[in-house]
Every structure is written in structure tokens, then in C-alpha cells.
Amino acid sequence: MPQGELCNRKPIVTDEQLKLTLSDKSGKKYYAEMLELDVDTNALWATIQKTMKARLKTWLEICAHCGMCADSCFLYQVNDCVPEQVPSYKIQSTLGHIVKKKGNVDNEFMRHCMKVAWSQCTCCNRCGMYCPHGIDMGVMFSYLRGLLYSQGFVPWELKIGSGMHRVYRAQMDVTTEDWVETCEWMAEETEEEWPGLTIPVDKQDAEIMYTCNAREPKHYPEDLAEAAVLFHVAGTNWTVPSEGWEQTSLSMFAGDWECCKDNVNHVYDAIERLNPARVTGTECGHAHRATVIEGPYWAGREDGLPPKPYIHYVEWLAEALREGKLKIDPAKRIKEPVTLQDSCNYVRNQGLKDVTREIISYIVEPGYFVEMAPNKEHNYCCGGGGGFNGIGMYREQRNVALRKKMDQILDTGCKLVIAPCHNCWDAIRDLEEEYEIGIRWSFLKPLIIGMLDIPEGMRVEW
Amino acid sequence: MYELLTGPLLWLVFAISFGGLLVRVVLYFKGLSQQLDRVAYKAHLSYGLKGAFNSIISWLNPVGARAWRKKPGYTFIFFAFHIGLLATPIFLAAHNIMLQENLGFSLPQMPAFFADLLSWTVIVACVAIILRRIALPEVRILTTAYDYLLLVITVAPFVTGLIARYQMGDYQFWLLAHIITGEIWLLCLPFTKLSHCVLFFCSRAQLGMDYGIKRGGLKGSTFSW
């Protein structure tokens, strides 16, 4: 069978196809069809010839096979150092093999590649920092994911995820109406406690345009309310766009580059339309990487930058605290050992390591902050990055992957973990569920709200 | 035979080797793609160059990168091997005499004792690299026959050179063997993985630019990548 009804080389572009794929519980039919899916070897090789340029070709060629990357990979470490988990081996035996064979590989091999690409690499880019030749296997795995996606060999959840982005321009089925209604609903609810609070939609020329992760309006609308409270207390002239508010990109995890471009352009259109001075997004790592760090290239922007300065939430927060727009009541500062999860996607991929620690300096009583080891740009992936969290078929491997973070957290002796990234937050929640080590975890927003020094009359106490 | 090998043939080898390496460098940079690599090379050139420089310097320094510091044993072997490999042929007295005779100039020469020591260092380090490849599972799984072949090609001029230098056996034979293996090594540079002698700098510069621009440089962060 060349192409299945659900598992095929065509992206999901209609609501019907999306619902049909979603109704296939756990992707049973989808994966059964994948067993029969033909590989279009000509198209595969043509894509490689067109898109594999000097950097990737050289990387595959000059890898010295020295094994220096082995220890750098947390998946190698938590899987008993089996040599099959050495980053260089993982990429040479998948992408390297496809290139060597000029795309002439079979279904079984493509399924093997899918497994390696989505369950043995989270594209955390740590190995790239440990290779003497500067070979970044994370970058190469992103590329391999693109090849696999184009051939239909992509995990069921990510096929759906990128389909969601294509159909709804959000990682979940949140329509424009749903989103605007959620904003209105949250504004009404929150205003009872915070008089004068609004969530302005489509306001022109604001100081800050705020974008978020579709999971927030869908499952955690309180996160939006918390953002609104902090903007309100800081006296920020802010807005959210009715369209182009979703900054995540499951399509980036899926390797659906066409969809990535479409989505990021949607956000950039909102920026052009509303003309804010700056933009900030929610506490999410991959969303920031997609919209701010990689997105400009998908959109073909020459300077590699979004249309307006686009900062991560931790940067906005640090600035508001630094400038005194948000004041912390010293009595309410955290007075228990607390540690911080560095998100690969904005620490290793954009250098935002000090700004999070600046926030810590305002909200944690001196002496209580405990660094993980290693940390900052050398920190390990939460264990669920790159889409790993959401893929049911690799749940077992993902649970093993969580052990690195578990050990790091246990070593700090802290019971509280600050995780200003959705994915890390989810992974840490899951690791507590799986291993029950007795920890709590939090985004920054609720913590900060709990310790604010609020001007009199701003908040109604019930 | 000696005249031919050290005369016209040597020039041909030099032309192919150095010309080929130059072509590799040019092709590398010509093959970069801002959109596919996701690095705005031109728009932030000063940040990019700073990152490129930082990256190269960090990795040429045995304590400059965290990866080197974490593996002191291998780092020692690695640097000893590469220093001997580069310094010996360039500063060897005999090579410089040839250079003087042919081109009328020569480079500083190292004492014979030092050249011997460096040559032995290359051989011992090469053996250590081979043993490491066999002993460590994470390196063994990556190693192919090609890796061993390249090590043999690389170390052969040193082995033959030392045999000739100590005048063991037929000097003329070993001298010719030294020249031939040396020329084979030079010819392999642009066409094999040994091209990393120049592509290392290209790749490091590229990743350095990536970090220097979008992955932290613009935010004022300096990584020891």
C-alpha cells in the first residue's frame, strides 16, 4: 500500500482529516498503516540534494568518531551508557546511512530512524558544545525529522500537532473566538479581585504585545489571568492579538517546516498589524525558540530577527522587577531551598542564563537558592523536550529520560523547582507522578503574584 | 627515483593537496545558507566573527573548552598527536634544507633530538588512540575500517621517517618509503576526512557564529562551546 488513509506523506490540512486522525485511539490504525507505507526514495534524495548544504555534509563527513559527544548526552547517561545512545552513532547510523544510500532506504529503516529521531534525541543541542569539530547533532536531528515527516514517518501525536497548527494555527483546537472569549472571561473573573484589570485585545501601539501557548487558554486559563495581573500591577500598556497569539510550534518538533513558516508569519503579521513597541511570550522555551530564535529564518527575514524586539517572559519579568514596576515584599520571599530548571531552548539557544538568576535574586531569600549541577548552558534537558513529552508510543523511554532531571533535583536537596518553561514544567510534573520524590514545581507567574508588594487599593481582599 | 619524487611529483602533490584544501574551504563557505542553517551571517557580522574567533580559540586551547577539561587523558593524547603531526614536518631540519635548496628560504629548524621526540610522540599517541578505539564501547561502535586506514596513512610517514633516520635496514629504501607515504598523506588531505585540517576551522567558525549571533551572543552571553 503506497499511502494510508491516516499515515501518509500528506500533511493534515482539513478539520475532517484532523478529527479522523484524532479518533484513531493511540494511533493504532495510523501505526498499522505505517508498516505498509512506501518510501518515495526519489523524493527523499531530491530533498537531500536540495537542502543538505555545506554545513551538514561536512559534519557528516568529518566526524572523527572520537566519542567525545557520548557523555554529553543525558539519554546516553540514563540508558546505562549503551553505545547505541552515543549522539554521533545515532546520527551517523540514521541520517548518515540515508545519505550514504542516496535516499535508497526501506520502510523498516525509516521506522527505525523515526524511533531514534523522536525517542533518542530531544534536540537539546548539548552535544554540539562537546564536539571538538563543532558538530551539533541536535541540529542534524531536526533536519532528519524534516526528512522523516516529508515521508510520513512521524509519531501520530506530532502528525496531529502539526495538523492542528495548519488547521487552527494553534497546537490545540482553539479558534479565534475561543481565544477572545477566554480573554474576556479571564478579564471578568480577575477584575473582581483586581479592579480595573483588562485583557485588551487588538490594541494598537501598545508597549507590549503578549503571545502564549495554546495549552494555556485550552487547559490553564489561569496562566493568562496571572500574566494579566502582573501586567496590570506593573502598569503596562499591553495587548493580545486576536489572531497570531499562539507562539508554540509542534510543527518544529514534527519537522513540518512549511507549517512552521506559516505559523510564525501569522504571529509576525499580528506584530505588523498592532505595531507594539515590543513583544513578549509566555513561560515557554520551545515557543520562544520557534517564534524568536528560529522563526525569523523560516520567515526569510534577512536580519534573523522578528519584526519588533521580542523578549522572553523571564526578560520582561526581570526588567519589571529591576525597574521597580513589580515590587516583592521581602517578608514573602521564598525561604526554603529552591532550584531552577534552565530551559535548553532559551538558555542554550539564546543565552538567557543570567536573567533568570536575576529574578531569583529578587524572590528568594539569600542562601536558599541551590543551583543544579551542571547548570546554565551545560544543564541537561528536562527529559521531555523536543516533543518527547507528548508521544505515547515512547512513554517508557521518556520516563527513563526523566531520571537525569530527577537525580539533578534530588542532588540539590530542594523540594521546590522553578520551571519557567511549559515543557520543563510538564516533564517535572510527570517525573513526580512517575517517581514520587516529593517535590513541587512552579512557573514564575504564580510565585511572583504570591509575594508581590501591592499598592493599597489595587487589590480587593475577599 | 628520488629526484622524481622530490622534484616534479612533489610539486604536483603540493598543488593537488593545498589547492584541494583551498577548494574545500571555498566550497564550505559558498555552501552556507542563511535560511537553511538559520544563522544571519551577514546581518550581525561583528557578533558572528567574535563568536567564530571565540569558538576556534577555545578549542585550540587544551583547557579552553569544557569538553577538553572533562577528559584530560584523551585531551593530552589528542594534543600531543596533533602538535607532533604538524610541527615535525614543518620544522624538521631535513625538510628545511630541501626547502632552502628549492625555494631559497627555510623555516626555523628544530634540533634533531626534538624532532625524534615529536615523531615518537605521534606514534605512541597513535597507538593510544587505536587502543582507546578498541577499549571504549562508545568509541568502538563509531569506529570503522576507514578510521584505522586514515590513522595508518597519517602515521606511516613518521614510522618510515624514523626507520630511515636511525638507518635501520636499507636507508635508500626507507627514505623513498618515507617520501612516498608522506606524499600519499598529502594527497589524502583534501579527499578524505583528513580535510578536517581546514574544515575544523570552518565548522568551528560556523558554530561559533551561530552561538555568537542567535544562540546567545546578541544577548551578551559568552559560552565556552
Side-chain angles (χ1 to χ4, degrees), chain A residues 424-440:
Chain A
C424 301
W425 189 97
D426 285 352
I428 293 165
R429 176 202 57 200
D430 287 358
L431 91 80
E432 175 57 30
E433 269 179 24
E434 180 70 18
Y435 298 105
E436 297 180 5
I437 57 172
I439 54 166
R440 290 168 288 122

Side-chain angles (χ1 to χ4, degrees), chain B residues 12-188:
Chain B
L12 186 64
V13 168
F14 276 146
I16 294 172
S17 180
F18 298 136
L21 288 175
L22 186 67
V23 169
R24 296 292 315 245
V25 173
V26 171
L27 287 179
Y28 186 92
F29 287 108
K30 277 188 71 163
L32 290 180
S33 156
Q34 148 148 349
Q35 196 164 4
L36 290 171
D37 301 344
R38 296 176 208 153
V39 187
Y41 298 111
K42 286 183 193 147
H44 308 284
L45 196 60
S46 63
Y47 282 94
L49 292 177
K50 202 174 135 198
F53 181 76
N54 181 356
S55 186
I56 292 170
I57 291 298
S58 296
W59 286 85
L60 288 180
N61 172 1
V63 292
R66 191 171 190 259
W68 290 142
R69 294 194 297 271
K70 284 197 74 174
K71 302 229 182 276
Y74 178 64
T75 302
F76 181 75
I77 297 168
F78 174 92
F79 275 89
F81 183 66
H82 280 89
I83 290 168
L85 206 58
L86 286 175
T88 319
I90 295 173
F91 302 114
L92 189 80
H95 289 178
N96 274 290
I97 291 166
M98 283 172 59
L99 203 60
Q100 182 74 45
E101 284 173 358
N102 282 295
L103 293 179
F105 78 94
S106 65
L107 298 166
Q109 297 174 12
M110 65 169 84
F113 161 76
F114 203 60
D116 288 351
L117 184 72
L118 278 181
S119 298
W120 278 110
T121 304
V122 170
I123 293 166
V124 172
C126 182
V127 171
I129 287 170
I130 290 171
L131 291 177
R132 179 177 177 273
R133 284 203 176 279
I134 296 166
L136 301 182
E138 72 270 27
V139 194
R140 197 163 60 229
I141 194 169
L142 296 168
T143 303
T144 62
Y146 178 52
D147 293 311
Y148 288 122
L149 176 68
L150 289 181
L151 279 172
V152 168
I153 289 172
T154 305
V155 86
F158 289 84
V159 174
T160 51
L162 276 179
I163 294 174
R165 144 114 182 97
Y166 292 131
Q167 311 223 341
M168 291 153 64
D170 182 350
Y171 175 76
Q172 283 305 322
F173 171 81
W174 288 109
L175 181 66
L176 289 180
H178 171 67
I179 297 166
I180 291 168
T181 52
E183 291 182 356
I184 289 172
W185 179 74
L186 281 167
L187 281 175
C188 285

Side-chain angles (χ1 to χ4, degrees), chain A residues 278-327:
Chain A
R278 290 190 298 171
V279 191
T280 191
T282 188
E283 292 175 71
C284 187
H286 100 267
H288 187 71
R289 180 167 169 182
T291 318
V292 183
I293 309 168
E294 305 215 356
Y297 299 96
W298 301 335
R301 296 185 61 85
E302 283 287 311
D303 60 0
L305 299 170
K308 286 286 167 86
Y310 203 136
I311 54 176
H312 190 273
Y313 196 75
V314 293
E315 292 180 281
W316 178 81
L317 196 55
E319 187 185 289
L321 290 163
R322 191 186 310 136
E323 293 175 357
K325 289 178 180 161
L326 293 174
K327 290 194 185 70

Side-chain angles (χ1 to χ4, degrees), chain A residues 38-52:
Chain A
D38 281 346
V39 184
D40 185 346
T41 52
N42 291 334
L44 183 60
W45 183 234
T47 307
I48 291 172
Q49 283 180 304
K50 210 168 102 192
T51 56
M52 190 175 225

Side-chain angles (χ1 to χ4, degrees), chain A residues 3-121:
Chain A
Q3 298 208 55
E5 187 189 11
L6 304 178
C7 185
N8 50 47
R9 290 192 283 276
K10 294 188 294 278
I12 295 175
V13 289
T14 64
D15 199 30
E16 295 75 49
Q17 186 70 15
L18 187 57
K19 291 206 169 100
L20 188 69
T21 314
L22 260 172
S23 66
D24 172 30
K25 195 133 177 50
S26 306
K28 219 170 150 192
K29 182 177 172 203
Y30 178 88
Y31 288 121
E33 287 180 358
M34 191 182 281
L35 294 173
E36 308 291 329
L37 186 63
D38 281 346
V39 184
D40 185 346
T41 52
N42 291 334
L44 183 60
W45 183 234
T47 307
I48 291 172
Q49 283 180 304
K50 210 168 102 192
T51 56
M52 190 175 225
K53 300 285 183 182
R55 179 173 69 150
L56 291 191
K57 271 200 274 191
T58 305
W59 279 354
L60 279 179
E61 184 190 342
I62 68 170
C63 170
H65 298 163
C66 69
M68 288 276 280
C69 55
D71 289 341
S72 73
C73 179
F74 78 107
L75 287 163
Y76 169 78
Q77 292 186 27
V78 294
N79 284 290
D80 304 320
C81 300
V82 292
E84 288 76 16
Q85 286 277 1
V86 174
S88 167
Y89 177 77
K90 288 187 270 196
I91 200 68
Q92 295 276 347
S93 62
T94 52
L95 179 63
H97 186 76
I98 295 176
V99 172
K100 210 180 278 173
K101 290 271 171 190
K102 297 192 178 351
N104 199 11
V105 292
D106 61 13
N107 174 295
E108 193 184 350
F109 188 76
M110 290 295 268
R111 280 185 289 117
H112 165 71
C113 288
M114 178 178 94
K115 187 176 172 190
V116 178
W118 277 283
S119 80
Q120 296 184 14
C121 177

Side-chain angles (χ1 to χ4, degrees), chain A residues 336-340 357 360 364-371 414:
Chain A
E336 67 166 290
V338 58
T339 190
L340 171 73
R357 283 158 180 83
I360 295 285
V364 178
E365 190 78 4
Y368 286 98
F369 175 54
V370 189
E371 290 275 14
C414 299

